[in-house]
Amino acid sequence: MSSRRRQSPMISSPAKQRNRAPNNPPTRPIRNRLPCFLKPGAAVEISTSEGDYRGSWFPGKLLTLPSSDKDSSKCQVEYATMSEVGDGSKLLREFVHVDHLRPRPPPMSEKERKRDIAVGEDVDAYYNDVWWEGTVTEVCSDGKFSVFFRASREQIQFRRDELRFHREWVNDTWKPPLDETEEEEEEEEESEEEDEVDDDTEDKEYLVPQVDPETTRAIAKEMFSNGTVVEVSSDEEGFVGCWFAARIVERIGEDKYMIEYKDLREDNGVEPLKEEADFLHIRPPPPSDEDLDFSVGDKIDAFYNDGWWVGEVMESVKDGSVGIFFRESREKMRFGRQGLRLHKEWVNGTWELPLKKGEMKRTKKLPCERNVRPKIATDKQYFSIGTPVEVGSIEEGFEDSWFLAKLVEYRGTDKCLVEYDKLKDEDGKEPLREEVNVFQIRPQPLEMVMVNPFEKLDKVNALYNDGWWIGVVKKVLAKSSYLVHFSRTDEMLKFHHSQLRLHEEWVDGKWIASSKCQTA
């Protein structure tokens, strides 16, 4: 197979690559550098690089540490649920690389057991005596969950007690942490009332709509002429998600407009503020809903400090006022009915009400029999020869990455040949061609642009060295930039808004949106 001209954001140097030993052996015993959890008799979980078992963790215990007179990078383990071939009474023992071991996670806390599992959530599912990494795609009416496994492209139903929230063991710690989340640690000095508000609203996340930029551009050209009344949003820190009333002064080029705000003023405090805004940050004023009553949990816009700010209804008071919680600032305020409106999103020329994550899935009446989807026949029907696709890698160090390619031909029932768009062959001139499993390919997602900026904890794909890599927004920076965290190696890189897209999974011929991560 040809060598790949690409670089993983997960691996900044060869020394950080799993299972790749340095050219010169260490001069001191490996035991001095062993993780603290590796002790004889310790309960561990064991992974493997075998293709059929990628993304799985086997329970077991550690028997012996690496020794200087043997393989200095391997420990002997005993599996808790696997037996020797030909002798079912004897538990399997073998030597495994230290990089394939981690401590066994403690049982879920009471808080985690009570927490809802949402569509798009990353979980580990216990199946055939092994924990498998997957993503929740359906919440069934009888309380079961459909879980999609990226490595095998299979989908299976599980009970709640057969799932646990997915974590990575990185640098001798669990990511996300087992105890309090980073947000809870930062906010531990907040008032008890605000903590209760946060607990009540943590599972009321909403899907962030995506738009077709070409459609939105065409609609803007048709609707926005000089003098048109509009609303304008900003990516500026502290103003994300807020909309201000304005009017179009003139069009500037293909994508931008000079706008004049209705309530914001220049530095002199007299003249209306004027500035440029692109078409993705401009929309018409939403339709009125004066006769609508608000309910607890509704997502609304509240008019405050000359702009419309997104919040959630926490309570209604007899005097007609409404208690609103603003998640970004963690403030709770009361407003009269005249200062509120139901939150709506302007998507491809139509107004849409916010859709809670998992809402559509929960309303479907689906049978929850446990069965495995026949992956090969299902996958093939979507892709004809020449179809643009994305290819997921199962190569060590390139997991959770997708590369643009086209389908060249099928080879047998479960293989196909692809030609990459950006990756080159060994000569550096011809496009790289490679034989891959059918379950490794998926269609290229439609090019979408987020109307609103990404938020902290959004699960995203980051474009890096010709591939899309799965990560989580760790911090929102100025000038439409973000710090993205890659959990496998605990590394963080900076990306511009244009280099990110919301993470989705291709399951049974449709895209499944990912839920927010629970912690940064």
Side-chain angles (χ1 to χ4, degrees):
M1 183 180 67
S2 302
S3 61
R4 301 185 179 195
R5 293 178 173 269
R6 60 186 177 195
Q7 180 180 348
S8 166
M10 310 293 185
I11 302 172
S12 56
S13 66
K16 299 189 73 173
Q17 298 184 37
R18 294 177 58 179
N19 284 341
R20 296 186 184 179
N23 293 329
N24 298 318
T27 57
R28 59 180 180 175
I30 188 77
R31 185 172 298 174
N32 292 336
R33 297 184 287 110
L34 287 178
C36 59
F37 74 88
L38 288 181
K39 298 177 181 179
V44 295
E45 288 189 342
I46 309 150
S47 69
T48 177
S49 58
E50 293 182 25
D52 291 341
Y53 290 96
R54 284 185 180 274
S56 64
W57 290 92
F58 295 79
K61 70 177 179 180
L62 184 67
L63 297 180
T64 63
L65 296 173
S67 58
S68 57
D69 58 341
K70 293 183 180 181
D71 191 332
S72 62
S73 63
K74 291 190 175 183
C75 301
Q76 187 181 32
V77 298
E78 180 180 87
Y79 291 87
T81 57
M82 294 182 64
S83 302
E84 294 279 0
V85 177
D87 187 355
S89 63
K90 214 172 169 186
L91 292 176
L92 175 63
R93 294 184 177 188
E94 66 178 5
F95 286 90
V96 298
H97 196 282
V98 293
D99 284 345
H100 288 182
L101 298 176
R102 70 181 187 184
R104 191 179 300 179
M108 285 195 297
S109 65
E110 186 66 25
K111 181 178 179 181
E112 282 192 324
R113 284 197 294 268
K114 292 180 179 179
R115 201 181 96 195
D116 288 341
I117 299 179
V119 170
E121 191 117 45
D122 289 334
V123 295
D124 296 337
Y126 196 67
Y127 185 64
N128 285 346
D129 301 322
V130 184
W131 289 101
W132 301 81
E133 299 173 7
T135 302
V136 174
T137 56
E138 303 278 357
V139 179
C140 301
S141 57
D142 63 356
K144 291 183 179 179
F145 301 84
S146 290
V147 178
F148 173 70
F149 301 98
R150 189 182 303 120
S152 65
R153 312 296 295 177
E154 294 174 318
Q155 186 167 265
I156 305 175
Q157 267 87 40
F158 292 89
R159 301 189 309 270
R160 177 66 174 80
D161 61 358
E162 295 174 308
L163 302 177
R164 68 186 184 190
F165 294 103
H166 177 69
R167 286 183 170 89
E168 296 282 350
W169 179 253
V170 182
N171 295 335
D172 293 334
T173 187
W174 289 107
K175 300 289 183 178
L178 287 170
D179 297 319
E180 296 177 331
T181 64
E182 181 180 83
E183 285 189 53
E184 289 172 337
E185 291 171 345
E186 292 175 352
E187 296 156 1
E188 60 185 358
E189 297 180 358
E190 296 282 350
S191 68
E192 183 177 339
E193 179 185 18
E194 287 182 339
D195 289 339
E196 291 174 355
V197 167
D198 190 50
D199 290 340
D200 290 339
T201 59
E202 66 179 357
D203 61 349
K204 294 173 182 175
E205 301 294 345
Y206 289 81
L207 289 173
V208 179
Q210 293 181 317
V211 299
D212 180 352
E214 295 304 321
T215 300
T216 305
R217 181 185 287 109
I219 291 171
K221 289 180 180 180
E222 180 179 343
M223 294 186 65
F224 303 149
S225 57
N226 295 355
T228 301
V229 176
V230 294
E231 289 187 348
V232 183
S233 67
S234 172
D235 288 338
E236 185 178 348
E237 188 171 0
F239 295 93
V240 173
C242 184
W243 290 88
F244 296 91
R247 70 177 182 88
I248 301 292
V249 177
E250 62 178 347
R251 184 174 165 185
I252 303 174
E254 286 294 311
D255 298 337
K256 292 188 176 182
Y257 297 82
M258 177 64 69
I259 56 99
E260 179 182 271
Y261 290 99
K262 175 183 177 183
D263 300 305
L264 303 183
R265 302 296 170 186
E266 296 281 4
D267 291 340
N268 60 19
V270 178
E271 298 295 326
L273 174 63
K274 292 182 180 181
E275 65 180 7
E276 292 183 8
D278 64 62
F279 69 96
L280 290 173
H281 291 82
I282 305 175
R283 70 181 190 185
S288 173
D289 49 18
E290 294 180 358
D291 298 330
L292 184 66
D293 291 329
F294 297 120
S295 302
V296 173
D298 281 347
K299 193 173 184 180
I300 54 86
D301 297 336
F303 192 74
Y304 182 70
N305 279 352
D306 303 322
W308 291 97
W309 302 80
V310 181
E312 292 179 25
V313 176
M314 300 306 302
E315 62 176 343
S316 296
V317 185
K318 292 181 180 179
D319 62 6
S321 62
V322 181
I324 305 298
F325 175 66
F326 299 95
R327 184 178 297 274
E328 291 295 326
S329 63
R330 296 190 54 77
E331 293 178 304
K332 183 179 178 183
M333 303 176 66
R334 296 191 187 278
F335 291 82
R337 178 62 181 81
Q338 68 277 9
L340 302 176
R341 68 187 187 191
L342 196 62
H343 181 75
K344 304 180 183 71
E345 298 284 357
W346 179 248
V347 182
N348 299 331
T350 61
W351 288 104
E352 295 184 3
L353 294 176
L355 177 63
K356 291 182 181 179
K357 289 181 177 178
E359 187 172 36
M360 289 182 65
K361 301 296 180 185
R362 294 176 191 271
T363 58
K364 289 184 179 180
K365 302 298 182 181
L366 297 173
C368 281
E369 294 138 3
R370 171 174 286 190
N371 49 41
V372 179
R373 179 172 61 87
K375 56 180 181 292
I376 300 303
T378 304
D379 283 336
K380 272 194 175 181
Q381 66 180 333
Y382 297 114
F383 311 117
S384 56
I385 303 303
T387 299
V389 295
E390 287 189 344
V391 183
S393 176
I394 57 175
E395 182 181 341
E396 192 92 29
F398 293 92
E399 302 94 335
D400 291 345
S401 63
W402 293 89
F403 295 85
L404 301 180
K406 68 177 179 180
L407 181 61
V408 177
E409 65 180 12
Y410 284 102
R411 294 181 172 179
T413 58
D414 58 355
K415 300 283 186 180
C416 60
L417 181 69
V418 298
E419 180 179 284
Y420 291 98
D421 288 4
K422 302 292 185 180
L423 305 183
K424 301 299 181 182
D425 212 331
E426 289 179 338
D427 59 8
K429 299 178 181 179
E430 296 298 321
L432 174 63
R433 287 192 172 195
E434 186 175 43
E435 184 179 86
V436 299
N437 296 307
V438 170
F439 66 75
Q440 290 177 246
I441 65 174
R442 69 182 188 184
Q444 294 182 7
L446 293 175
E447 184 177 353
M448 298 290 185
V449 176
M450 297 280 287
V451 177
N452 296 319
F454 295 99
E455 299 177 353
K456 185 178 180 181
L457 303 185
D458 276 344
K459 193 171 183 180
V460 296
N461 297 153
L463 184 60
Y464 185 83
N465 282 347
D466 302 323
W468 289 98
W469 301 82
I470 300 174
V472 175
V473 175
K474 177 77 170 180
K475 188 174 183 180
V476 179
L477 305 175
K479 298 182 179 180
S480 300
S481 295
Y482 307 84
L483 286 180
V484 177
H485 178 248
F486 300 95
S487 63
R488 286 189 178 272
T489 55
D490 201 25
E491 293 184 295
M492 205 151 39
L493 297 174
K494 182 180 177 181
F495 293 90
H496 186 265
H497 185 95
S498 60
Q499 296 171 296
L500 300 178
R501 68 187 186 192
L502 201 62
H503 177 71
E504 295 178 302
E505 293 284 358
W506 178 251
V507 184
D508 287 334
K510 56 182 179 291
W511 290 104
I512 303 296
S514 176
S515 70
K516 279 182 181 289
C517 286
Q518 294 300 313
T519 177

